[in-house]
Amino acid sequence: MPTTPPSDARPAELFRHGLDLLIRGDMEGWIALFAEDAVAEFPFAPDGYPRRLDGRAALGPYLRGLSDHIAYDAFPYVEVHETGDPGTIVAEMRAEGRVTATGGPFEMTYVAVVTVRDGLIVRYRDYWNPLAVPASLTAAVND
């Protein structure tokens, strides 16, 4: 897919494009896929982490901070499920990468519910497992 997906890209195409951007380390490109008024929710986030971010202005710094700690190398498993709403998908995925401060491995599984309108993500619910965060990442973030 080109650098910028077409505005009529289906949610699954837009989401997969976003994963490609993450693998390339293009966090600004990933952030640009979100609408200005997008809402991102992290229902399982532990204390000290945001559970909800309102708007691209709040989401941008959070995601840039994440990229300071994690470099995504691959998403070897991605399964996208269509829903009754043509603008909403459910994605199951596994990420592999590195903790940038230590070079240690990073692996995480996710389930994300993604809603797209007018070619941009308007709602992103990320059900990541905070108990699976590798010790090397916890140490890097808390140093």
Side-chain angles (χ1 to χ4, degrees):
M1 187 175 267
T3 303
T4 305
S7 61
D8 64 348
R10 294 177 24 166
E13 295 168 330
L14 184 74
F15 182 75
R16 288 180 187 276
H17 174 69
L19 296 182
D20 289 340
L21 292 170
L22 291 173
I23 291 169
R24 288 187 269 171
D26 185 355
M27 192 58 71
E28 295 305 316
W30 173 241
I31 293 165
L33 296 182
F34 288 81
E36 288 293 331
D37 61 349
V39 173
E41 297 173 293
F42 309 96
F44 298 147
D47 290 341
Y49 287 80
R51 292 219 167 106
R52 180 181 168 113
L53 296 167
D54 291 293
R56 190 188 301 159
L59 186 59
Y62 173 80
L63 291 173
R64 286 182 198 101
L66 176 67
S67 69
D68 290 341
H69 300 291
I70 298 170
Y72 291 102
D73 293 329
F75 290 89
Y77 171 76
V78 178
E79 188 167 342
V80 176
H81 306 277
E82 304 290 330
T83 70
D85 175 350
T88 300
I89 59 169
V90 176
E92 299 176 77
M93 61 194 154
R94 182 169 57 87
E96 294 177 349
R98 294 165 275 107
V99 176
T100 55
T102 65
F106 171 82
E107 185 174 310
M108 180 68 70
T109 56
Y110 305 85
V111 172
V113 180
V114 182
T115 301
V116 173
R117 298 278 184 266
D118 300 322
L120 294 171
I121 298 168
V122 296
R123 188 168 184 205
Y124 191 92
R125 282 172 284 158
D126 189 340
Y127 295 89
W128 61 281
N129 180 2
L131 299 176
V133 173
S136 58
L137 178 59
T138 302
V141 170
N142 292 321
D143 283 348

